[in-house]
Amino acid sequence: MNTGSVIDFMPQFWQSKRLLKMKFANGRTQPALEPQHSAGSSAASAALQQSPLLQQQATQLMAIRQGKQQQLQRRHLGGIVSQRMNLSDNITQLKRLSSGKLNVVGENHPESGRRRISEEVVSKRETDGGYWTEGEYRKGVDTRNLLSWIFTSDKRDRGDSSELLVEMNAATLADLADIWVNKATNYGSLTIDQKSEMRGAMPALYRFGNDAEVHNSRIQDDTKKKDNLVADVKILLTIVKAIAGGRDITTYSNLPTAISGVRGHLGGRSRAQISTERTSHMQTAAAFDAAKPGVWKVGQNHIDEWPVKSGPYEVLTRDEFNTEYGSELTDD
């Protein structure tokens, strides 16, 4: 074997390997360098042609080099993909209020109630329009002038249906009262603590009966008023108040009948179903008023049910609104 030829050949291989590493260093492709020929390169070629062992070794070394090249390429491409995935995962998609159109924005009612002034300032600045709470929003444009505004009530339909609000408050009152039916009808056998617990829970139910009556008074069309439902709500509320006051114990047995009377007006619909109907009504109002600039705040539960999150008007969640503008929102 001509050992001089082998010695000439090996630097050729390691030099090619070094150039390969430079080419793929740090996952970046460098300009390819021209191969460098030494004086012994012809002798190395002759040795390769004459020696089967050298040919086998050269083939193995070339395979190793190609394998490393492919490994580097896979690592480079894999790094890019991984980097892109990480960027996609880490970027928070923020959604801002849009100027010149209606923005329906979710809220937690108590939270927004504490900071109405700052929410209104931010909303009007960002949209060049108005700001309305869930119950304030009216469909269409108020065409009254100053004089008629003083003497005439706003006749426009509400974005949040008064008819559905009467029904939902009635359903809530019935559901909460139903929790205490068994204890109320067996009041005489309760312990002092059980009686105290029940009486203490009853005042929390008052608001739903009262709100049902208030919303019924806001219905403009007399043919749509829920007078019969409200009458039965009052009967139920009277019994609830009697329980809270610990009086007229003999009337507590009428509680199941009073609850059934209220539910009979709801056509078998649950509170959740009525709430979904409210969401649909809000969506219709928003679509009608898509070009009305401003912010309409509604309960986040309605945004969760909202079928369309983008379109001619904008829909923002409570979290999106708070993330974007929270630093400016302070309690009134």
Side-chain angles (χ1 to χ4, degrees):
M1 181 185 297
N2 188 342
T3 56
S5 298
V6 175
I7 293 172
D8 288 338
F9 166 73
M10 295 307 291
Q12 287 287 320
F13 168 74
W14 293 114
Q15 183 181 35
S16 298
K17 185 175 181 181
R18 180 178 62 82
L19 294 176
L20 176 65
K21 290 178 69 176
M22 290 176 61
K23 185 176 181 181
F24 291 98
N26 299 322
R28 296 188 299 273
T29 302
Q30 304 292 340
L33 301 179
E34 290 296 328
Q36 301 295 312
H37 297 281
S38 70
S41 52
S42 58
S45 299
L48 280 172
Q49 292 175 358
Q50 296 174 5
S51 172
L53 177 60
L54 287 178
Q55 289 179 355
Q56 181 181 3
Q57 290 175 340
T59 301
Q60 290 173 344
L61 289 171
M62 288 296 295
I64 292 171
R65 183 177 71 176
Q66 291 174 352
K68 287 185 175 293
Q69 179 179 346
Q70 292 172 357
Q71 185 179 24
L72 283 168
Q73 288 175 329
R74 285 196 299 270
R75 187 179 302 163
H76 175 59
L77 294 175
I80 292 176
V81 172
S82 176
Q83 208 170 31
R84 288 176 178 169
M85 287 177 66
N86 289 336
L87 284 173
S88 176
D89 291 342
N90 293 333
I91 292 175
T92 301
Q93 298 296 325
L94 300 180
K95 193 171 186 181
R96 298 180 58 88
L97 297 172
S98 296
S99 179
K101 62 166 63 174
L102 182 63
N103 296 259
V104 186
V105 182
E107 72 172 25
N108 171 280
H109 293 316
E111 176 186 60
S112 289
R114 294 190 298 268
R115 62 187 197 193
R116 285 295 175 202
I117 294 175
S118 57
E119 280 199 5
E120 184 172 357
V121 169
V122 168
S123 298
K124 288 183 175 180
R125 181 195 73 208
E126 294 292 315
T127 65
D128 294 321
Y131 177 87
W132 306 273
T133 63
E134 186 176 79
E136 288 175 341
Y137 191 81
R138 300 268 189 167
K139 185 178 175 181
V141 179
D142 189 352
T143 58
R144 295 174 296 167
N145 57 33
L146 180 60
L147 185 62
S148 62
W149 184 87
I150 296 174
F151 296 102
T152 308
S153 62
D154 193 341
K155 301 295 184 182
R156 292 175 296 164
D157 290 337
R158 295 179 181 273
D160 190 5
S161 167
S162 294
E163 297 97 304
L164 292 173
L165 278 165
V166 174
E167 293 181 323
M168 199 178 85
N169 277 282
T172 304
L173 174 63
D175 288 349
L176 293 176
D178 198 21
I179 295 172
W180 303 98
V181 165
N182 184 59
K183 287 186 177 181
T185 53
N186 295 281
Y187 188 82
S189 62
L190 299 181
T191 66
I192 293 176
D193 288 343
Q194 289 173 325
K195 291 177 182 178
S196 178
E197 179 189 11
M198 182 169 62
R199 288 199 303 267
M202 292 299 108
L205 279 62
Y206 296 174
R207 57 161 289 203
F208 301 105
N210 295 334
D211 285 354
E213 189 171 1
V214 169
H215 289 300
N216 191 53
S217 69
R218 292 175 176 173
I219 299 174
Q220 302 286 341
D221 187 345
D222 289 341
T223 63
K224 295 181 179 180
K225 285 185 177 293
K226 306 289 182 178
D227 293 339
N228 292 334
L229 170 57
V230 170
D232 280 342
V233 164
K234 288 181 178 180
I235 292 172
L236 175 55
L237 192 58
T238 298
I239 297 174
V240 167
K241 289 181 176 180
I243 293 173
R247 60 184 184 276
D248 300 327
I249 296 176
T250 56
T251 66
Y252 298 175
S253 59
N254 294 328
L255 187 61
T257 302
I259 293 172
S260 296
V262 169
R263 287 177 172 163
H265 297 281
L266 304 178
R269 290 140 66 223
S270 67
R271 179 187 181 281
Q273 290 172 318
I274 297 169
S275 179
T276 299
E277 291 176 25
R278 284 177 60 202
T279 302
S280 297
H281 188 275
M282 291 175 182
Q283 186 193 12
T284 300
F288 181 85
D289 280 335
K292 183 194 293 185
V295 170
W296 179 17
K297 296 298 295 294
V298 305
Q300 179 57 39
N301 62 303
H302 296 295
I303 299 298
D304 292 338
E305 296 178 331
W306 212 272
V308 179
K309 293 298 190 292
S310 62
Y313 58 89
E314 294 294 335
V315 179
L316 278 73
T317 66
R318 167 183 170 267
D319 287 344
E320 287 171 332
F321 183 77
N322 285 349
T323 298
E324 188 65 30
Y325 305 105
S327 61
E328 300 183 66
L329 305 177
T330 57
D331 290 354
D332 299 341

